[in-house]
């Protein structure tokens, strides 16, 4: 809950003490002067806060948001990114094995994948630097990129080699676009004091998913054709994207369209 109190002879220490003694919650911020005090407080009983503050003076710029609803958007993005990155870690050894064993392919040919993807990312970075995407189009663009990326992975090893390189270059081009939009939006959305924790959570989630999926995909590669394993990985990630990002699209859109410090002004209940 966040609001401003305008009145006379206000005392931020008195307000702070009253909150501490009478209200259940945390992350209290009460700052200002004798005429204007800003309140920021996490509580499950915001009506009590509003009632008390209204007794001190005129209250305005009131923001009361459902913190759990906001977290669902972030959680959806993080779960999908953990799965898709874990899949990529898992099938990377299968790609090398495929190029070593498949007729007409060599390990050197696989190395050009990195060149193609780097080229795509470089061009994508330049395009992203020169042009911005309107907020109303961000979710549609990101979801489209995610679906395209997974489809590209699913069909990668079934393509002729020249089209494989085009595939990787296109993934690099689209990947840098979506990553830049997502990272900038998330960092802008979450409060400054939570960024380190949230980044650590994302890193932990991706690492755990990578470890589990690497074992699962490695085992799958022992019994199935490498191309089929890649297809399964891509289609599975595509399904996860629908279940985590699309089904929570309203919450994800809130994250992508948030103004700077939006979460800080609306993260509490």
């Amino acid at each position: 809950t966040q609001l401003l109190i305008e009145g006379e002879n206000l005392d931020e220490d008195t307000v702070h003490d009253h909150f501490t003694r009478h209200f259940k919650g945390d992350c209290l911020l009460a700052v200002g002067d004798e005429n204007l005090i800003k309140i920021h407080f996490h509580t499950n009983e915001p009506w009590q806060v509003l009632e008390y503050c209204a007794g001190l003076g005129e209250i305005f710029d009131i923001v009361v948001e459902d913190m759990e609803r906001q977290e669902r958007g972030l959680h959806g993005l993080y779960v999908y990114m953990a799965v898709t990155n874990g899949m990529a870690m898992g099938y990377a050894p299968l790609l090398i094995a495929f190029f070593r064993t498949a007729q007409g392919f060599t390990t050197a040919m696989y190395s050009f994948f990195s060149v193609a993807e780097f080229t795509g990312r470089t061009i994508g970075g330049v395009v992203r630097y020169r042009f911005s995407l309107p907020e109303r189009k961000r979710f549609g663009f990101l979801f489209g990129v995610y679906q395209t990326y997974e489809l590209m992975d699913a069909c990668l090893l079934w393509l002729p080699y020249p089209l494989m390189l085009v595939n990787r270059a296109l993934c690099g081009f689209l990947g840098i676009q979506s990553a830049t939009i997502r990272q900038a939006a998330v960092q802008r959305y979450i409060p400054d004091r939570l960024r380190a924790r949230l980044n650590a959570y994302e890193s932990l989630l991706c690492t755990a998913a990578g470890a589990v999926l690497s074992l699962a995909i490695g085992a799958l590669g022992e019994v199935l054709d490498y191309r089929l394993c890649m297809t399964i990985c891509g289609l599975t990630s595509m399904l996860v994207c629908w279940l985590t990002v699309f089904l929570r699209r309203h919450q994800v859109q809130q994250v992508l369209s948030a103004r700077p410090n939006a979460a800080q002004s609306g993260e509490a209940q």
Side-chain angles (χ1 to χ4, degrees):
T1 300
Q2 179 168 291
L3 63 131
L4 295 176
I5 309 172
E6 185 177 28
E8 297 180 356
N9 300 318
L10 299 175
D11 188 328
E12 62 182 71
D13 292 330
T14 301
V15 173
H16 188 283
D17 291 342
H18 185 90
F19 270 73
T20 303
R21 292 196 305 267
H22 296 92
F23 300 144
K24 296 179 180 179
D26 55 23
C27 299
L28 172 61
L29 175 68
V31 295
D33 52 35
E34 62 181 10
N35 301 119
L36 184 68
I37 291 181
K38 177 179 180 179
I39 300 295
H40 180 88
F41 190 51
H42 293 187
T43 179
N44 290 325
E45 300 170 337
W47 58 89
Q48 294 184 356
V49 172
L50 297 178
E51 182 180 5
Y52 167 71
C53 293
L56 298 177
E58 182 181 357
I59 58 175
F60 55 97
D61 286 356
I62 302 169
V63 179
V64 179
E65 287 283 349
D66 186 344
M67 190 173 181
E68 291 183 359
R69 183 177 182 274
Q70 293 180 346
E71 289 177 348
R72 287 196 289 270
L74 290 172
H75 189 259
L77 284 172
Y78 281 161
V79 169
Y80 167 68
M81 294 310 302
V83 171
T84 190
N85 289 332
M87 289 288 187
M89 292 176 60
Y91 67 60
L94 299 188
L95 287 176
I96 298 175
F98 174 82
F99 275 86
R100 283 181 175 177
T101 58
Q103 186 176 2
F105 292 93
T106 65
T107 305
M109 294 173 70
Y110 170 73
S111 66
F112 282 101
F113 273 22
S114 298
V115 177
E117 190 164 349
F118 172 78
T119 301
R121 285 183 175 273
T122 301
I123 297 173
V126 172
V127 172
R128 177 61 188 159
Y129 178 78
R130 296 292 299 273
F131 302 98
S132 60
L133 193 67
E135 289 181 358
R136 67 182 184 277
K137 297 182 178 180
R138 288 178 184 173
F139 176 81
F141 177 78
L142 256 66
F143 186 74
V145 168
Y146 294 156
Q147 293 295 292
T148 301
Y149 208 104
E150 305 306 348
L151 185 61
M152 289 289 191
D153 280 353
C155 69
L156 176 63
L157 297 184
W158 303 95
L159 299 173
Y161 182 68
L163 291 183
M164 288 184 181
L165 296 179
V166 174
N167 180 305
R168 292 298 90 185
L170 182 59
C171 284
F173 177 84
L174 294 175
I176 193 65
Q177 303 273 344
S178 63
T180 302
I181 293 173
R182 176 183 59 84
Q183 291 171 359
V186 169
Q187 294 302 313
R188 185 172 62 239
Y189 179 78
I190 60 178
D192 293 341
R193 60 185 176 75
L194 293 180
R195 286 178 183 170
R197 292 184 181 180
L198 210 55
N199 291 338
Y201 170 73
E202 181 183 21
S203 178
L204 178 62
L205 201 61
C206 288
T207 301
V212 172
L213 292 173
S214 293
L215 291 174
I217 296 171
L220 196 64
E222 293 291 330
V223 297
L224 295 178
D225 181 82
Y226 296 144
R227 294 177 298 178
L228 186 57
C229 289
M230 279 289 296
T231 300
I232 293 174
C233 289
L235 295 179
T236 301
S237 295
M238 185 180 294
L239 176 61
V240 171
C241 183
W242 279 90
L243 295 176
T244 57
V245 177
F246 184 79
L247 291 184
R248 302 181 182 185
R249 56 191 178 278
H250 299 299
Q251 290 83 13
V252 173
Q253 286 172 338
Q254 182 181 0
V255 174
L256 297 178
S257 63
R259 295 293 191 276
N261 299 321
Q264 297 184 56
S265 64
E267 65 179 346
Q269 294 183 356

